[in-house]
Amino acid sequence: MDVERVFHMNGGLGGNSYAQNSSLQKKASEMVKHITLKCLEETYILMSPNSLGIADLGCSCGQNALSTIREMVETIDETTHKYVNISPREYRVYLNDLSTNDFNAIFKILPDFYKQLNNERQLRGHKFDSSVYIAGYPGTFYGRLFPDKCLHFIYSSYSLHWLSKVPPGLYDMEGHSINKGSFYISKSSSPRVAKAYYDQFQEDFSLFLRSRSKEILVGGRMVLILLGRRDQNHVDRGNSFLWELLSRSFSILVSQGKVKQEKVDEYDAHFYAPSRNELEAEVKKEGSFEMDRFELFDIERKSEGCLSHGTIVARSVRAIQESMISSHFGEAILDDLFENYGKLIDEEMCIEDIRPISFIIVLRKL
């Protein structure tokens, strides 16, 4: 499957959209935003550019992207007001995602964004008048996106655990999956499966670092938030277990005759949760960045009104994975699949908590 052509978050503002089902990602970003904003502030004080270049890689299409940008602009406004009283003449903000992303959903709310931003600036009594220019920048971040040395700060939240493609090493000479019955690395997977995923991660993350090293200025920083794992064990009661529950959800549909087992055996995720050691090794090997900070965190379970935690997670995963699943299996199974998924998560949460691990990493360009 051509990931770059098919994969995207659900657009629009409907009940299954990413905009309506990204509260978990928003909560995680909020948990570590003090790190993100402090890093941006330090970068600006050090570099003090007249034209500040910021890129959000994997911005998706909900309010999350613009709320983060608003906080970044407010942080720099406050910094210049408190310390140097000199504002950058302009903010250049590049919102990047795959070309399949619903950029129109972002563009439609930009007028309200600019109006609210200007109102907030006036309320704070800031006298400077820096222009904010926001543009969509479609394309994969596994490769070059921007001109040389045009960026000061790069932000990416919950995007880098998505690989550029399903690892080729998951398939034999006849093109059959060697990971039948599982969508990701599971207890029943052979060591070849874990190696295939790790090899693809190494290739992708190394290319990401090489590409960004050309685009960001010396002293510029990247803040990367992504899913990961605690240690070298790929199978845990976190990210890998959520993939296992999705596989079980498909098994229910197979038993009901709604999906053929052969179709399930052919499906694999383009996802990888790296360990800290694996990330540090790639950063060191590529050599263009120094790791300033690395922290691990997880998100506590959350209910919203009458919705259970399982339902919230299932809707979030659907908003992310629907494009890939419907492309392979068709749309008819989606409601039943994710209803099963939510129930399985709730059942397992009654037995023992499921705690996906996240990392926040700060890299400085040497």
Side-chain angles (χ1 to χ4, degrees):
M1 189 182 299
D2 186 345
V3 169
E4 191 172 341
R5 182 181 60 84
V6 175
F7 183 53
H8 60 84
M9 309 296 106
N10 283 352
L13 297 172
N16 294 320
S17 67
Y18 183 80
Q20 299 295 329
N21 296 283
S22 53
S23 61
L24 294 174
Q25 293 90 330
K26 177 63 174 175
K27 182 178 181 180
S29 297
E30 287 287 326
M31 288 174 64
V32 294
K33 79 173 183 180
H34 63 287
I35 298 175
T36 301
L37 298 180
K38 183 64 175 176
C39 177
L40 174 62
E41 179 183 54
E42 291 173 351
T43 302
Y44 175 73
I45 290 173
L46 177 68
M47 305 183 78
S48 299
N50 288 323
S51 178
L52 181 62
I54 300 172
D56 182 346
L57 306 183
C59 65
S60 191
C61 53
Q63 285 279 359
N64 289 2
L66 290 182
S67 65
T68 300
I69 296 304
R70 178 183 293 108
E71 289 169 346
M72 289 182 179
V73 172
E74 290 173 353
T75 295
I76 299 303
D77 281 353
E78 290 293 334
T79 300
T80 55
H81 184 71
K82 287 189 298 184
Y83 297 114
V84 294
N85 205 30
I86 300 173
S87 174
R89 289 199 303 268
E90 61 187 22
Y91 296 83
R92 294 173 286 110
V93 180
Y94 306 106
L95 301 180
N96 159 261
D97 213 311
L98 295 175
S99 58
T100 47
N101 184 55
D102 187 3
F103 283 101
N104 282 337
I106 298 176
F107 298 152
K108 286 178 181 177
I109 58 177
L110 275 179
D112 288 339
F113 169 85
Y114 287 128
K115 182 177 180 180
Q116 183 178 354
L117 180 64
N118 288 332
N119 288 340
E120 290 171 351
R121 282 174 150 181
Q122 290 177 7
L123 288 173
R124 291 195 300 270
H126 291 176
K127 297 179 180 179
F128 39 78
D129 186 25
S130 304
S131 299
V132 180
Y133 300 101
I134 298 177
Y137 231 82
T140 176
F141 49 54
Y142 293 123
R144 288 294 301 272
L145 285 167
F146 308 103
D148 286 353
K149 298 180 177 59
C150 70
L151 298 174
H152 303 90
F153 191 80
I154 293 173
Y155 175 78
S156 180
S157 181
Y158 288 99
S159 297
L160 277 164
H161 44 252
W162 297 111
L163 301 173
S164 66
K165 58 187 173 184
V166 177
L170 292 177
Y171 302 95
D172 60 22
M173 296 294 290
E174 287 74 38
H176 301 133
S177 175
I178 63 172
N179 197 30
K180 291 185 168 114
S182 297
F183 293 161
Y184 184 54
I185 306 167
S186 66
K187 291 180 181 178
S188 62
S189 299
S190 74
R192 290 173 59 195
V193 171
K195 184 179 186 305
Y197 274 106
Y198 179 50
D199 288 348
Q200 189 61 51
F201 159 76
Q202 285 184 300
E203 178 183 320
D204 284 345
F205 192 57
S206 175
L207 179 57
F208 175 86
L209 293 174
R210 292 198 309 273
S211 300
R212 304 293 82 78
S213 71
K214 299 289 196 302
E215 298 163 351
I216 194 166
L217 288 150
V218 172
R221 294 185 186 178
M222 294 199 294
V223 172
L224 312 177
I225 305 170
L226 69 157
L227 295 171
R229 64 184 200 276
R230 289 185 183 276
D231 51 40
Q232 294 306 105
N233 186 10
H234 289 90
V235 180
D236 57 15
R237 198 171 174 85
N239 295 303
S240 66
F241 190 65
L242 288 175
W243 284 107
E244 180 182 330
L245 292 180
L246 187 61
S247 297
R248 289 188 201 173
S249 304
F250 270 99
S251 295
I252 294 172
L253 298 185
V254 171
S255 69
Q256 295 171 341
K258 296 178 181 179
V259 176
K260 293 185 180 299
Q261 183 63 51
E262 292 79 8
K263 292 290 287 183
V264 176
D265 290 341
E266 292 169 356
Y267 191 79
D268 293 287
H270 68 292
F271 170 92
Y272 187 72
S275 67
R276 174 172 184 161
N277 289 342
E278 289 170 349
L279 287 161
E280 288 178 335
E282 292 306 312
V283 171
K284 183 176 181 180
K285 183 169 62 176
E286 194 279 329
S288 296
F289 296 91
E290 182 175 63
M291 191 171 289
D292 279 354
R293 190 162 186 167
F294 191 114
E295 292 194 15
L296 178 153
F297 66 100
D298 57 27
I299 308 171
E300 296 179 0
R301 76 165 76 187
K302 177 185 178 183
S303 298
E304 296 178 0
C306 61
L307 298 180
S308 69
H309 179 74
T311 299
I312 294 169
V313 173
R315 291 185 176 185
S316 177
V317 172
R318 177 171 182 169
I320 297 168
Q321 278 290 291
E322 182 170 316
S323 62
M324 297 293 287
I325 290 173
S326 61
S327 178
H328 185 76
F329 296 97
E331 297 180 0
I333 67 166
L334 292 171
D335 289 343
D336 289 342
L337 172 68
F338 286 102
E339 183 178 353
N340 294 337
Y341 190 46
K343 289 178 180 177
L344 288 175
I345 293 172
D346 283 331
E347 289 172 5
E348 288 291 337
M349 291 289 282
C350 290
I351 300 170
E352 185 183 351
D353 207 358
I354 304 171
R355 302 294 286 266
I357 298 301
S358 296
F359 297 139
I360 180 167
I361 309 164
V362 178
L363 301 178
R364 178 171 52 86
K365 177 65 167 60
L366 298 174

